[in-house]
Amino acid sequence: MQFTSEQRLDDGVLEREFTLGEIPGTLWTPESDASAPLILMAHNNGLPKGESRLVARARHTASCGYAVATIDAAGCGDRPRSAADEQARADLRRAMQAGEPVDEIFECLVGPLVEKAVPEWQTTLDALLVLPGIDGPVGYSGWTALGIRLAVVEPRIAAAGFFAGGYVPRTQREEARQVTIPLLFLLQWDDEGNPRQRALDLFDAFGSKEKTLHANLGGHTGTPWFEMEDGGRFYDRHLK
């Protein structure tokens, strides 16, 4: 892991850009001499690690005493996309403009993104946990489809917060039954791109004995900021 830049932000958080082979990432850490639990923070379906909502959540979480990391995995952010990915995105735009069904197109787009992203997140986790000042246990926050797969294959993740606002492929909907870590599941009740019943069915499928559903009125990007406070209490219970 090579750090390429760093800046100390006005909220007492150190922000460092890094590269790990071909993987670009960002790490936020608090001003503290104590080791900080780590939270992996991912955005939905290929959006960049510098997306403003993710950065705001990461900085707030780091200011509360956590190390927070995000990456642009394969096919995400500015990293090259395969011809199949580009075709799926073009097909998705066309179908949505025409009001046609999009489930199968999402399967072709999101499924491969998850498959390619998981090994790179695990490689990043390996590198982060040997850095001074970062310790387990590890939490996860963000993209549901990726988080389900990571929760199944990565035993170092102890708790996860999922946003029910992105398409979850059939494979991950089946894998949800294998997820047993504590979960906080955020649902926007009026999310135009995420059928409510599908999200409720997914919540029901999780195998966790401790799982909490928070539903708020509003569309896809309308998650209230106070959910950050509830999320902080959730991670405090399980990571500190």
Side-chain angles (χ1 to χ4, degrees), residues 144-174:
T144 299
L146 173 65
I148 290 172
R149 172 60 61 82
L150 281 174
V152 170
V153 304
E154 183 46 75
R156 290 173 290 185
I157 295 179
F162 294 155
F163 287 84
Y167 183 83
V168 177
R170 285 186 288 268
T171 298
Q172 275 69 64
R173 294 202 295 269
E174 289 297 321

Side-chain angles (χ1 to χ4, degrees), residues 35-154:
S35 292
L38 174 64
I39 296 179
L40 306 177
M41 195 168 286
H43 217 311
N44 278 0
N45 302 350
L47 290 174
K49 64 184 180 63
E51 203 279 335
S52 59
R53 287 177 295 152
L54 184 147
V55 171
R57 290 192 291 117
R59 288 182 57 172
H60 174 81
T61 303
S63 72
C64 294
Y66 291 93
V68 183
T70 190
I71 63 170
D72 279 339
C76 299
D78 294 329
R79 292 186 64 185
R81 294 170 178 169
S82 68
D85 286 345
E86 294 292 7
Q87 185 60 56
R89 291 178 189 278
D91 291 344
L92 179 62
R93 288 192 294 269
R94 178 195 54 77
M96 293 180 71
Q97 290 171 358
E100 298 173 357
V102 296
D103 276 14
E104 292 306 316
I105 301 174
F106 266 122
E107 287 286 332
C108 294
L109 175 62
V110 180
L113 278 177
V114 172
E115 295 294 335
K116 291 182 289 188
V118 167
E120 295 199 347
W121 277 96
Q122 290 183 293
T123 297
T124 304
L125 179 57
D126 292 340
L128 290 167
L129 286 178
V130 299
L131 293 176
I134 297 179
D135 202 356
V138 179
Y140 174 88
S141 174
W143 180 12
T144 299
L146 173 65
I148 290 172
R149 172 60 61 82
L150 281 174
V152 170
V153 304
E154 183 46 75

Side-chain angles (χ1 to χ4, degrees), residues 1-7 9 13-20 23-29 38-42 48-51 54-56 58-59 62 66-73 121 124 128 131 134:
M1 175 176 285
Q2 179 179 358
F3 288 103
T4 57
S5 70
E6 70 174 54
Q7 60 175 327
L9 307 175
V13 171
L14 179 64
E15 179 184 86
R16 288 176 282 178
E17 299 293 328
F18 65 83
T19 58
L20 184 61
I23 307 169
T26 309
L27 173 65
W28 295 267
T29 50
L38 174 64
I39 296 179
L40 306 177
M41 195 168 286
K49 64 184 180 63
E51 203 279 335
L54 184 147
V55 171
R59 288 182 57 172
Y66 291 93
V68 183
T70 190
I71 63 170
D72 279 339
W121 277 96
T124 304
L128 290 167
L131 293 176
I134 297 179

Side-chain angles (χ1 to χ4, degrees), residues 176-183 203 205-211:
R177 305 181 190 283
Q178 302 174 48
V179 175
T180 58
I181 59 174
L183 293 179
F203 177 76
F206 287 124
S208 304
K209 292 183 178 180
E210 180 183 332
K211 54 183 179 180

